[in-house]
Amino acid sequence: MTSCTSATIAATYSSRIDSITFPSKSNISIRIKGPRSAQIRSSLSPPVIIKFRNKSYHQVSCDHHQQITKTCHSPQWNLLQRAAAIALDMVEGILVLKETKHQLSRTYDPRVQIAGNFAPVPEQSVKHNLCFSGHHLFDGDGMLHAVTINGSSVSYACKLTQTKRLVQEKELGRPVFPKAIGELHGHSGIARLVLFYMRGLLGLIDHSHGIGVANAGLVYFNGRLLAMSEDDLPYQVRVKPSGDLQTVRRFDFDEQLHSTMIAHPKRDPVTGELFALSYDVVKKPYLKYFKFSKDGEKSPDVEITLEMPTMMHDFAITENFVVIPDQQMVFKFQEMIKGGSPVINDRNKKCRFGILSKEAKDSSEIIWIESPQIFCYHTWNAWEEPESNEIVVIGSCMTPPDSIFNECDENLRSILSEIRLNPKTGKSTCRAIISSLEQVNLEAGMVNRNLLGRKTRYAYLAIAEPWPKVSGIAKVDLITGNVQKFMYGDMRYGGEPFFIPRDLNSKKEDDGYIMAYVHDEKTWKSELQIINAMNMNLEASVKLPSRVPYGFHGTYISSEELAHQV
């Protein structure tokens, strides 16, 4: 592998996130976000399941009940607050004990959601001189995993992102913030919300500074590495010269951002601008669009009218437009009264895409185009085709849409698709890019990000089989549908693949490397694999000193960028 310099960053939570970075000289640094340590509960399930892995669910839950009844006190609490804490903890203990008498859905059963290599890992200080073996030819709370390659020297570190939520729970010694997916469902979910806000009202916890876990995305922008979840502001994390990681602060872009920001902002590779959305699940406006100049100056919010609060996990940009999916996954909190989840698939709602100028000052010119029977959690790229007056969107269309949140009998399918939108006619089309004979579930990945918003030929995506594990990487030709696969091997699974250009001036779109974290379930060892993107052959691997949970999403940072961190 040619010598180069950079930093790669990825993320993991109780189900994880990744990212990768390559500079342009002689170092390569990689960071990945991961889940909490065994002593801290994951964002999706209770910690006790991890601490007592040999016990039955009922035994663990009973231990959890006993743990709650032994109330931990903050030294800052007064007598009234301590009494209130004991009372609220007793109510929660009864609630937990009651839940153990019912069969949990697989979508929030901790024995499924944080079992095996989905379980969190402890923090690791920097370890240098890792084994870096060459080869000839042939993926709760946010945690960053960092691998730095500097010539022949390799180091690794992983650190939890110190969110306001995590800091408070560490002080109290147990989780008190409700977990959005694993706990907020049915009557018990309503009870947990009441407990949460009562604790806040009594000053036992402080949720005024955010409740996010910073576990769903990473972006390097204007000298800052930002760790994000769509329910909060980003958190700034600094990469130290040693390769270690430090949470700096909850970042509001110097008091410019007063709402949440989704975890998939888009940076235009030509202008350097950052584009983002913010959605609210309770009050109008349910959706806002805004952008930042390359120097970090925020534009005014563009309020976009929606009939109901909708999940806006991702969107796309082209050279001149933002493409906003208004899809079937919506928030209906009344469903909790009926015993269900507040995140549902509205079967009466048709998917539509909004096309809005990047420079829009209001939403009056947004063009909505219906695209029935389409649902994409992620869009990999989009571009304009002036010859046909169409906007092309590349995304993975998932069915059923709510399979990640609600249990269903239907098998999950995630089909890489080309969606064409015609703003003049208001018509849309959708086609599967890969032939039915070669069809596999493809989720989590990217295109060459130096071409984001412009026409690309290749996408590098995770082969999400057997779901939710990743057994390999697919390099897909978006024109011909041809697929080149790199499989990890028997009982070996990985996270999201990340593409790094070998040379920013190369004329070949696929001239670079694909990097992915791979875990061997037989040996319980993890490594970083580096694959030649042109021929899909393994070139090198980095043996890691600790397990890296499966995950997705991330970014990479060049050495030059690291040198100019704020």
Side-chain angles (χ1 to χ4, degrees), residues 307-311 326-332 334-335 341-351 373-375 400-402 406:
E307 292 183 1
M308 62 185 74
T310 303
M311 178 178 289
D326 178 18
Q327 303 181 114
Q328 300 93 326
M329 291 303 296
V330 300
F331 296 89
K332 291 186 177 181
Q334 59 268 34
E335 293 294 321
S341 168
V343 185
I344 68 167
N345 172 26
D346 187 340
R347 299 180 185 276
N348 296 318
K349 184 178 181 182
K350 293 182 179 179
C351 171
Q373 309 305 318
I374 289 176
F375 180 82
D402 59 344
N406 301 305

Side-chain angles (χ1 to χ4, degrees), residues 6 69 156 187 189 249 358 386 403 407 415 504:
S6 75
T69 56
Y156 167 82
H187 298 160
R249 57 172 170 158
K358 283 180 172 178
S403 57
E407 192 165 1
I415 307 302
L504 296 179

Side-chain angles (χ1 to χ4, degrees), residues 216-516:
L218 288 166
V219 67
Y220 186 83
F221 173 69
N222 192 29
R224 294 178 176 88
L225 172 64
L226 303 178
M228 301 162 292
S229 57
E230 55 207 56
D231 56 351
D232 205 343
L233 299 180
Y235 277 81
Q236 180 185 352
V237 178
R238 181 173 291 124
V239 183
K240 294 182 176 182
S242 66
D244 207 351
L245 301 162
Q246 174 191 12
T247 302
V248 180
R249 57 172 170 158
R250 184 169 177 256
F251 186 62
D252 60 4
F253 291 85
D254 298 325
E255 301 183 347
Q256 296 182 94
L257 183 60
H258 305 289
S259 61
T260 63
M261 187 171 84
I262 69 169
H264 290 294
K266 308 296 181 185
R267 183 179 179 274
D268 190 301
V270 176
T271 68
E273 297 170 301
L274 188 71
F275 301 86
L277 300 176
S278 173
Y279 70 84
D280 197 296
V281 303
V282 178
K283 61 183 179 180
K284 295 181 178 181
Y286 295 131
L287 181 64
K288 294 183 288 189
Y289 157 72
F290 49 90
K291 69 172 185 174
F292 297 92
S293 70
K294 66 179 181 179
D295 298 319
E297 183 177 348
K298 182 181 176 294
S299 71
D301 290 335
V302 175
E303 299 182 354
I304 300 174
T305 302
L306 298 177
E307 292 183 1
M308 62 185 74
T310 303
M311 178 178 289
M312 297 279 181
H313 183 68
D314 200 0
F315 72 112
I317 62 170
T318 69
E319 189 173 353
N320 298 293
F321 301 98
V322 290
V323 183
I324 304 169
D326 178 18
Q327 303 181 114
Q328 300 93 326
M329 291 303 296
V330 300
F331 296 89
K332 291 186 177 181
F333 289 93
Q334 59 268 34
E335 293 294 321
M336 296 176 69
I337 300 174
K338 301 177 184 178
S341 168
V343 185
I344 68 167
N345 172 26
D346 187 340
R347 299 180 185 276
N348 296 318
K349 184 178 181 182
K350 293 182 179 179
C351 171
R352 61 178 185 166
F353 288 87
I355 300 173
L356 183 67
S357 169
K358 283 180 172 178
E359 308 302 322
K361 299 296 188 290
D362 59 62
S363 62
S364 60
E365 295 182 2
I366 193 169
I367 299 173
W368 290 106
I369 300 175
E370 284 192 357
S371 300
Q373 309 305 318
I374 289 176
F375 180 82
C376 296
Y377 270 114
H378 297 105
T379 57
W380 310 121
N381 199 15
W383 60 82
E384 301 158 36
E385 290 196 348
E387 316 82 49
S388 60
N389 295 315
E390 291 176 314
I391 289 178
V392 177
V393 180
I394 305 296
S396 291
C397 291
M398 184 178 291
T399 56
D402 59 344
S403 57
I404 294 177
F405 300 98
N406 301 305
E407 192 165 1
C408 60
D409 296 328
E410 185 179 349
N411 290 330
L412 180 145
R413 301 178 72 222
S414 186
I415 307 302
L416 183 63
S417 304
E418 177 193 84
I419 305 161
R420 287 182 171 264
L421 310 171
N422 193 315
K424 291 193 174 182
T425 66
K427 302 294 184 181
S428 69
T429 62
C430 178
R431 72 173 182 89
I433 292 174
I434 301 172
S435 72
S436 58
L437 295 176
E438 292 190 84
Q439 200 60 252
V440 290
N441 287 335
L442 297 179
E443 254 295 342
M446 64 181 301
V447 299
N448 185 329
R449 72 179 188 177
N450 292 326
L451 297 172
L452 194 69
R454 282 76 182 170
K455 188 170 184 176
T456 47
R457 179 161 187 170
Y458 301 108
Y460 311 93
L461 303 169
I463 300 175
E465 295 181 356
W467 181 266
K469 294 181 180 180
V470 171
S471 54
I473 301 169
K475 173 187 177 182
V476 183
D477 188 316
L478 302 177
I479 298 176
T480 67
N482 180 59
V483 181
Q484 290 179 266
K485 297 178 182 179
F486 177 86
M487 306 305 293
Y488 298 137
D490 183 45
M491 298 295 290
R492 292 166 62 87
Y493 305 97
E496 175 176 330
F498 208 90
F499 176 82
I500 297 105
R502 185 185 59 82
D503 184 345
L504 296 179
N505 298 314
S506 177
K507 295 181 179 179
K508 295 182 178 180
E509 181 184 327
D510 59 347
D511 186 7
Y513 303 97
I514 304 170
M515 308 187 78

